[in-house]
Amino acid sequence: MKKEIFKKAFKNLVTAKALTELYEENFKVVSKYVHATSRGHEVIQTAVGMQLEPQDYVYPYYRDDSILLSIGMTPKDLMLQLLAKKDDPFSGGRTYYSHPSLKDEDKPKIPHQSSATGMQAIPATGAAMGFWYKEQLKQDTKQAVVVCSLGDASVTEGEIAEALQMAALKQLPIIYLVQDNGWDISANEAETRAQNAFEYARGFNGLEAITIDGTDFEESYSEFNKVLKTVREERRPFLVHAKCPLLNHHTSGVRMEFYRDDLEESKLRDPYPKLKQQLLKNGFTEDELEAIENEAKAIVSKEYQEALLAEDPKPEDLFTHDFAPTKITEEKGNRSPEGAEKVVMVDCALFAIEELMKEFPECLLYGQDVGGRLGGVFREAATLAQKFGDHRVFNTPIQEAFIVGSTVGMSAVGLKPIVEVQFADYIWPGLNQLFTEVSRSSYLSNGKWPVSMILRVPIGAYGSGGPYHSSSVESVVTNIRGLKIAYPSNGADLKGLMKAAYHDPNPVVIFEHKGLYWSKVPGTKGATSVEPDKDYVLPFGKAWVLQEIWPQDDQETLSIITYGMGVHWAMNASQELGMQDQIEVVDLRTLHPLDEKTIMKSVKKCGKCLVVTEEPSDNTFARALSGKIQEECFQYIDAPVMTIGSENMPAIPLNSTLEETMIPSTEKVKTKIQELLNY
């Protein structure tokens, strides 16, 4: 091994060690914000970071400051994040120490990831799947490799299994680096896992694994070099299991003396003296090593003082980068081409995706049963796999977390994934990724890594779907900040919003009501549309006054605010009552951003308001919207803002009579309208 490699490794280790020691010496200053350090893990991390190239993607975990130093970050860079300063290069003071996000041209790329242990495995595997996809298109990825760093305790997470399964199935160019220090906060390995990561990996056919001494630099560097070369050339996954000691606290808030009973034994495995001996055997002198160490300590001390004096974020810095700007701000294109026939709502979505895939090679579609055999359980992807190939439209296992979270990595490497969960009822396993990884990426990376994806969610009760195929979940999803959310009531809107979503650099969830797909539910013919042309886009945050009125002085009037199936109940109810001139119907189209201007204008004009939803009405998006309307329009209204939704029961029953009793209907909305107009 070259002397220069040893020197660089030693400099990196003693710099990381100096950081740990400085943080302990100044504990009362730096412990204002929680941090963890790499003490004990420095050698394996350095061996990995030194060998990565700018085209590679790396997903460090929260103990990986030695990886960050070895790819070229400075101690000051890390300390600016430690102290949550404005110029923190990763997040602008928004997230924890050693939670990097980096997009420098001369360094490996680090998309944002959370500190939830193990959750980074799915986005990282998504990035590797993105490289796999690009290579199917014959695009040059420069043999890029993804490295996902994990603690051994995190490998017990179910989402790790989803990631490893897909990496093995698709033969993706990813290396899972598992650093095993034998601890899971205060629980040790004997308490929490039946096997280590190396043993666990044997269960995944197509995933090769090795185990190494992560305190031995020569072994760590050479073995990782072999793995890296193999993955670059053969494009298949590996797991590297590295044993190393934890020589500092779990975090600054969970001190090792609180619970550790193996500290003396762990100190015997310290990689620092071991690396020092290796350098002495390879021609270095004690004086040379002392000089390197003193220089590192001096730099750390100097840059710490600079970081302390750095500027803190200002209050106004809170309000940046929640979303990346979109170019789609106005409705454009022909919504109703002359001579075109009406089509059902599901076809509008299908045709929109087909047009996008024809035009943009970076567009791809995946999820459960969307592939060529079926084309989606609602035929919403029919013929797409046959037209564009199994590499662009493909099935996934029943892995909602992977379906959702992999889009983070796909987007990071420049793709535009359109994915779906089969029913809204099945979105729950994906919420972990949707909330923590997808929605926060732009904000916590200070705008560097917005996640550009579309998540399609068939939703709503239709034809006795029962408790596992009928739920409305929009209130949960609207509480996830950082998402754009559409809930269209007709095919033209769905196509226009789908096109706008594709060109939006942010994550978009589109709720598509199953009962509107083919307009088979009585009273939903209004969901069919003349199909807009391929250039039609409908911006988010633009509600539609579908039925507009001009109140007379002596007339009782009402504004109905609704979306999805509620639009059809509202329109049918007003027509059956013969009150089209008294009832204004506002179709929200999107739940975030919300067109509050149009909503409030309608309510102030009409004097009374009814919010219609399919969800059980308590503690919901609709109830919160009712409260906001009442707050803003109180002096303009003549009655309380009312809400109608499903009955507040735990689930929608299978029996059709019980289902009808549970959910709203035109008749129920008519009754509520009359109650409110007579108030």
Side-chain angles (χ1 to χ4, degrees), residues 100-112:
S101 54
L102 195 66
K103 214 171 185 178
D104 292 0
E105 285 295 321
D106 62 338
K107 299 180 184 69
K109 307 304 174 280
I110 309 178
H112 163 264

Side-chain angles (χ1 to χ4, degrees), residues 160-365:
I160 299 290
E162 294 192 19
L164 299 184
Q165 167 74 20
M166 285 300 288
L169 177 67
K170 296 283 188 182
Q171 288 295 282
L172 304 179
I174 185 168
I175 301 167
Y176 300 97
L177 168 66
V178 181
Q179 300 173 58
D180 183 1
N181 61 36
W183 286 94
D184 178 2
I185 309 184
S186 68
N188 65 28
E189 58 189 335
E191 297 174 79
T192 58
R193 38 201 191 270
Q195 66 281 306
N196 65 33
F198 170 69
E199 295 161 339
Y200 183 59
R202 292 173 182 167
F204 295 89
N205 292 332
L207 174 65
E208 190 170 344
I210 62 169
T211 185
I212 61 174
D213 180 355
T215 68
D216 185 313
F217 180 73
E218 287 183 294
E219 180 180 341
S220 295
Y221 189 93
S222 62
E223 290 302 312
F224 186 78
N225 181 268
K226 293 174 190 174
V227 170
L228 188 61
K229 183 179 180 182
T230 299
V231 177
R232 285 208 196 283
E233 294 176 356
E234 299 180 17
R235 317 308 281 160
R236 60 187 177 92
F238 251 90
L239 184 144
V240 176
H241 171 251
K243 288 288 291 182
C244 46
L246 178 60
L247 298 179
N248 197 39
H249 315 294
H250 168 72
T251 67
S252 56
V254 183
R255 313 285 288 173
M256 56 187 173
E257 57 267 19
F258 294 172
Y259 63 92
R260 293 285 295 278
D261 54 13
D262 67 338
L263 289 173
E264 292 307 313
E265 184 273 333
S266 293
K267 289 175 185 176
L268 297 175
R269 297 165 54 221
D270 188 343
Y272 166 65
K274 186 179 289 189
L275 179 58
K276 201 170 180 180
Q277 285 303 311
Q278 288 177 339
L279 267 70
L280 291 171
K281 289 178 182 178
N282 281 273
F284 288 86
T285 66
E286 288 278 6
D287 288 345
E288 285 178 303
L289 298 185
E290 185 177 353
I292 293 170
E293 193 158 2
N294 288 339
E295 181 187 12
K297 288 179 179 179
I299 290 171
V300 166
S301 179
K302 172 180 173 290
E303 294 191 0
Y304 172 62
Q305 295 302 321
E306 293 172 359
L308 285 174
L309 297 174
E311 184 183 3
D312 284 316
K314 293 181 170 59
E316 56 267 27
D317 294 327
L318 175 69
F319 302 101
T320 60
H321 302 302
D322 51 342
F323 290 103
T326 178
K327 296 178 181 178
I328 307 299
T329 57
E330 298 294 333
E331 186 174 6
K332 292 181 180 178
N334 191 345
R335 181 182 175 93
S336 302
E338 189 174 345
E341 294 183 0
K342 280 193 171 185
V343 296
V344 293
M345 189 169 172
V346 72
D347 283 346
C348 279
L350 175 64
F351 298 153
I353 293 174
E354 182 174 343
E355 290 167 359
L356 288 166
M357 295 190 81
K358 281 181 180 176
E359 187 173 356
F360 302 105
E362 63 271 23
C363 177
L364 67 163
L365 173 70

Side-chain angles (χ1 to χ4, degrees), residues 358-404:
K358 281 181 180 176
E359 187 173 356
F360 302 105
E362 63 271 23
C363 177
L364 67 163
L365 173 70
Y366 57 94
Q368 295 166 28
D369 299 306
V370 302
R373 291 178 183 273
L374 186 61
V377 296
F378 302 106
R379 305 297 288 157
E380 74 281 4
T383 74
L384 292 178
Q386 289 84 354
K387 291 176 180 176
F388 299 104
D390 292 335
H391 61 296
R392 294 191 67 186
V393 181
F394 57 88
N395 293 324
T396 64
I398 302 172
Q399 295 183 344
E400 286 82 7
F402 185 87
I403 291 167
V404 173

Side-chain angles (χ1 to χ4, degrees), residues 569-580:
W569 292 325
M571 292 294 288
N572 294 336
S574 67
Q575 290 165 13
E576 291 182 18
L577 290 169
M579 292 182 172
Q580 296 97 316

